């Protein structure tokens, strides 16, 4: 999956197919698509009803003949045909006509670190179905590091944590390459599931799927840190009676509930540091960890990492779009490689 910057400069479009959101960057236009990776299909006729935000609003609210599909799981395309149809509608007819005028349309796509050949092939097939003649694959860790402004091409260590919906990827980068990295199957969805299970077991309350994110937003004002509010009111459905009910949730208990899945993230972080050369670890003590991805905004997560590692932890300015902006910077030629000339003898 090694691709040069020269090959990326020839690409016309960059796509980040994430488990939560799909983002498309077009050379010369910038970020043109940033929508949820969801499609609603009529199972009787096979026709596509909605994509993106509208399809996500239909989750759990549709009749039996409408299926809400998520063609991307953990950064891997699991339904190529549905992913192609979703992308076509997200891009729109006008932009697709502009892209068709390219004699040899080239595309770039993000793939998770250490993804298997089958997952890479699925990403390539998805973009080939949109008319791309050639598809370049870039590691999500490299693209995210470029997108958040880390000096990845320098001979100093930079550490990045990509907090996605289904996975968390952690890596140490130096000289434009990955020194050591790990991918953990724990992400924002695991955090949501932990909150839902806690409310069901402790309060006999079923939380609607659409209410998990608002719950995190309600707790964001330092709610998952000891200085935050002690309780938060949550609305849901009673498990026994099925009636609507409101409960006062102890934020300290919620903090403890989400700590369990985050333990795996801390273990992965420790493994990366143990496998990293000592000279690079010394650099990390100064520059610390950069967090990107939508789940990086989980309240209290950055403080948890500071307490566990003793290193400074920063969140990128726009953590959710760093990967696709990094790909876009490579397409636009804004990234210059560090030239290593062989020594003359």
């Amino acid at each position: 999956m090694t691709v040069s910057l020269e090959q990326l400069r020839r690409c016309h479009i960059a796509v980040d197919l994430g488990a939560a959101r799909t983002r498309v960057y077009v050379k010369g236009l910038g970020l043109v698509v940033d929508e949820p990776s969801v499609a609603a299909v009529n199972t009787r006729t096979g026709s596509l009803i909605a994509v993106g935000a509208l399809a996500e609003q239909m989750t759990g609210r549709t009749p039996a003949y409408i299926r809400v599909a998520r063609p991307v799981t953990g950064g891997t395309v699991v339904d190529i045909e549905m992913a192609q149809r979703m992308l076509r509608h997200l891009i729109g007819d006008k932009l697709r006509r502009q892209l068709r005028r390219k004699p040899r349309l080239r595309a770039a796509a993000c793939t998770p670190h250490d993804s298997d050949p089958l997952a890479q092939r699925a990403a390539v097939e998805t973009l080939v179905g949109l008319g791309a003649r050639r598809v370049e694959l870039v590691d999500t860790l490299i693209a995210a590091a470029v997108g958040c402004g880390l000096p990845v091409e320098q001979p100093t260590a930079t550490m990045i944590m990509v907090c996605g919906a289904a996975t968390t990827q952690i890596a140490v980068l130096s000289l434009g390459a990955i020194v050591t990295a790990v991918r953990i199957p724990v992400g924002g969805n695991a955090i949501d599931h932990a909150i839902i299970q806690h409310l069901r077991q402790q309060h006999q309350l079923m939380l609607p799927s659409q209410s998990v994110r608002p719950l995190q937003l309600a707790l964001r004002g330092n709610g998952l840190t000891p200085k935050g509010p002690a309780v938060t009111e949550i609305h849901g459905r009673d498990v026994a009676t099925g009636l609507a009910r409101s409960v006062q949730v102890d934020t300290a208990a919620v903090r403890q509930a989400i700590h369990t899945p985050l333990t795996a993230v801390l273990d992965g972080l420790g493994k990366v540091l143990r496998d990293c050369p000592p000279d690079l670890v010394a650099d990390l003590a100064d520059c610390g960890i950069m967090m990107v991805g939508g789940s990086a905004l989980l309240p209290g997560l950055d403080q948890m990492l500071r307490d566990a590692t003793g290193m400074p932890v920063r969140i990128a300015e726009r953590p959710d779009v760093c990967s696709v902006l990094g790909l876009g910077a490579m397409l636009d030629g804004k990234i210059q490689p560090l030239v290593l000339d062989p020594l003359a003898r």
Side-chain angles (χ1 to χ4, degrees), residues 55 66-67 73 76 87 100 111 115 123 138 159 213 218-219 235:
I66 296 179
R67 179 173 65 94
T73 301
T76 302
L87 266 177
R100 281 200 207 103
T111 55
S115 58
V138 180
M159 191 170 195
R213 293 299 177 189
L219 297 173
H235 306 282

Side-chain angles (χ1 to χ4, degrees), residues 142-294:
I142 298 288
V146 171
C148 64
L150 290 178
V152 292
E153 73 280 0
Q154 298 300 320
T156 56
T158 54
M159 191 170 195
I160 188 165
M161 175 182 288
V162 180
C163 307
T167 60
T168 298
Q169 304 172 66
I170 309 170
V172 175
L173 310 174
S174 180
L175 286 174
I178 297 173
V179 178
T180 177
V182 67
R183 183 168 58 149
I184 307 149
V186 174
N189 293 341
I191 305 300
D192 296 347
H193 183 70
I195 294 175
I196 291 173
Q197 288 299 107
H198 169 76
L199 293 175
R200 186 184 182 100
Q201 294 171 4
Q202 301 299 324
H203 300 277
Q204 287 73 49
L205 194 74
M206 291 185 66
L207 194 66
S209 58
Q210 303 286 334
S211 300
V212 179
R213 293 299 177 189
L215 171 60
Q216 292 187 4
L217 291 173
L219 297 173
R220 183 161 294 170
N222 291 329
L224 292 184
T225 59
K227 298 178 182 178
V231 293
T232 302
E233 187 176 10
I234 303 298
H235 306 282
R237 190 183 75 182
D238 190 279
V239 173
T241 64
L243 300 176
R245 185 162 63 91
S246 300
V247 296
Q248 295 289 331
V249 178
D250 182 12
T251 54
V254 176
R255 182 168 66 246
Q256 186 61 34
I258 70 168
H259 192 275
T260 301
L262 290 178
T263 303
V265 176
L266 297 178
D267 292 342
L269 183 61
K271 182 180 184 302
V272 170
L273 292 174
R274 288 193 300 271
D275 295 343
C276 187
D279 292 340
L280 295 181
V281 175
D283 292 343
L284 295 177
D286 298 327
C287 61
I289 305 170
M290 176 67 77
M291 296 177 62
V292 302

Side-chain angles (χ1 to χ4, degrees), residues 2-224:
T2 303
V3 57
S4 67
L5 287 173
E6 186 61 35
Q7 290 172 311
L8 288 173
R9 287 194 194 101
R10 299 173 185 168
C11 294
H12 306 95
I13 184 173
V15 179
D16 179 15
L17 281 168
R21 299 185 75 86
T22 294
R23 300 175 177 94
V24 179
Y25 185 100
V26 177
K27 196 172 187 177
L29 297 178
L31 188 64
V32 296
V33 174
D34 185 3
E35 293 281 342
S37 304
V38 188
V41 186
N42 187 328
T43 57
R44 294 174 180 171
T45 62
S47 59
L48 205 61
I49 297 175
V51 294
L54 181 57
E56 188 177 46
Q57 292 175 6
M58 296 181 181
T59 304
R61 304 171 185 269
T62 60
Y65 67 91
I66 296 179
R67 179 173 65 94
V68 177
R70 293 182 177 270
V72 185
T73 301
T76 302
V77 179
V78 294
D79 188 340
I80 296 176
E81 181 184 358
M82 186 60 65
Q84 290 174 349
R85 296 175 68 185
M86 180 186 72
L87 266 177
R88 288 193 198 103
H89 283 78
L90 288 177
I91 291 175
D93 293 337
K94 182 179 178 181
L95 185 55
R96 277 166 51 207
R97 284 196 295 269
Q98 292 179 11
L99 294 175
R100 281 200 207 103
R101 299 193 188 107
K102 308 289 184 184
R104 288 186 60 84
L105 181 63
R106 289 174 174 247
C110 291
T111 55
H113 175 70
D114 203 21
S115 58
D116 57 82
L118 189 61
Q120 297 178 22
R121 180 61 182 266
V124 171
E125 290 292 331
T126 300
L127 296 183
V128 167
L130 293 177
R133 297 292 186 90
R134 184 180 175 92
V135 180
E136 309 290 355
L137 299 181
V138 180
D139 197 303
T140 301
L141 291 164
I142 298 288
V146 171
C148 64
L150 290 178
V152 292
E153 73 280 0
Q154 298 300 320
T156 56
T158 54
M159 191 170 195
I160 188 165
M161 175 182 288
V162 180
C163 307
T167 60
T168 298
Q169 304 172 66
I170 309 170
V172 175
L173 310 174
S174 180
L175 286 174
I178 297 173
V179 178
T180 177
V182 67
R183 183 168 58 149
I184 307 149
V186 174
N189 293 341
I191 305 300
D192 296 347
H193 183 70
I195 294 175
I196 291 173
Q197 288 299 107
H198 169 76
L199 293 175
R200 186 184 182 100
Q201 294 171 4
Q202 301 299 324
H203 300 277
Q204 287 73 49
L205 194 74
M206 291 185 66
L207 194 66
S209 58
Q210 303 286 334
S211 300
V212 179
R213 293 299 177 189
L215 171 60
Q216 292 187 4
L217 291 173
L219 297 173
R220 183 161 294 170
N222 291 329
L224 292 184

